[in-house]
Amino acid sequence: MSPISNQKIQRVLRLEAVCILVAAVVCYAKFGAGWGVFTLCFFLPDISLLAYRVNSRVGTFVYNTVHSYAGPMIALVIGLAFASPVFLSVGMIWGAHIAFERMFGYGLEYSRDFEFKHLGLIDRVVTSVRSDAR
């Protein structure tokens, strides 16, 4: 795949993340548990980074499990099925967190190196690689 088409794909994926983030925040404003709860819980999924203390393989598995949209979607379905504001709030906050990170290029990880994401290299690595190539 050429770098140009890869850059276009990354832009589309980041735009998709912005749309999900906006949708999650708008829905949270309508159905959520208050902005204090949102603020306190927004970065909770990043606790999964502590799994890297075990080793890279475990860290990658835990991080990717927590940073997949499957978890928030399950929480939202449970929240809708059982009319549970707690599950709805968790799903919206969790989904917003994932979208926020993906908007900046932080996606699911490969176990070989923290900077390699499913969305490509994170920007600071791409910039340093380009600088080194000159």
Side-chain angles (χ1 to χ4, degrees):
M1 181 180 298
S2 73
I4 292 173
S5 63
N6 191 31
Q7 289 174 354
K8 288 180 183 177
I9 290 169
Q10 287 183 5
R11 274 184 264 168
V12 169
L13 291 173
R14 288 181 182 199
L15 178 62
E16 176 184 69
V18 170
C19 293
I20 293 170
L21 176 61
V22 168
V25 170
V26 168
C27 288
Y28 189 84
K30 178 110 174 124
F31 303 109
W35 294 109
V37 171
F38 187 93
T39 304
L40 288 172
C41 297
F42 187 75
F43 288 106
L44 282 179
D46 284 337
I47 292 174
S48 65
L49 289 167
L50 293 174
Y52 278 97
R53 295 186 63 109
V54 175
N55 64 41
S56 166
R57 187 172 167 229
V58 170
T60 300
F61 175 77
V62 172
Y63 181 88
N64 287 345
T65 300
V66 172
H67 285 82
S68 163
Y69 283 119
M73 293 300 110
I74 291 168
L76 288 170
V77 168
I78 291 170
L80 289 170
F82 297 102
S84 170
V86 171
F87 276 95
L88 287 172
S89 294
V90 165
M92 289 181 277
I93 295 168
W94 193 357
H97 171 85
I98 294 169
F100 179 78
E101 286 194 353
R102 290 194 182 172
M103 183 176 68
F104 291 106
Y106 291 91
L108 301 176
E109 300 182 1
Y110 294 98
S111 59
R112 72 178 194 194
D113 196 346
F114 188 74
E115 284 83 16
F116 290 92
K117 310 293 184 182
H118 85 282
L119 299 175
L121 286 170
I122 55 176
D123 287 339
R124 63 186 164 84
V125 176
V126 172
T127 304
S128 68
V129 169
R130 286 183 189 146
S131 300
D132 293 342
R134 293 181 191 167

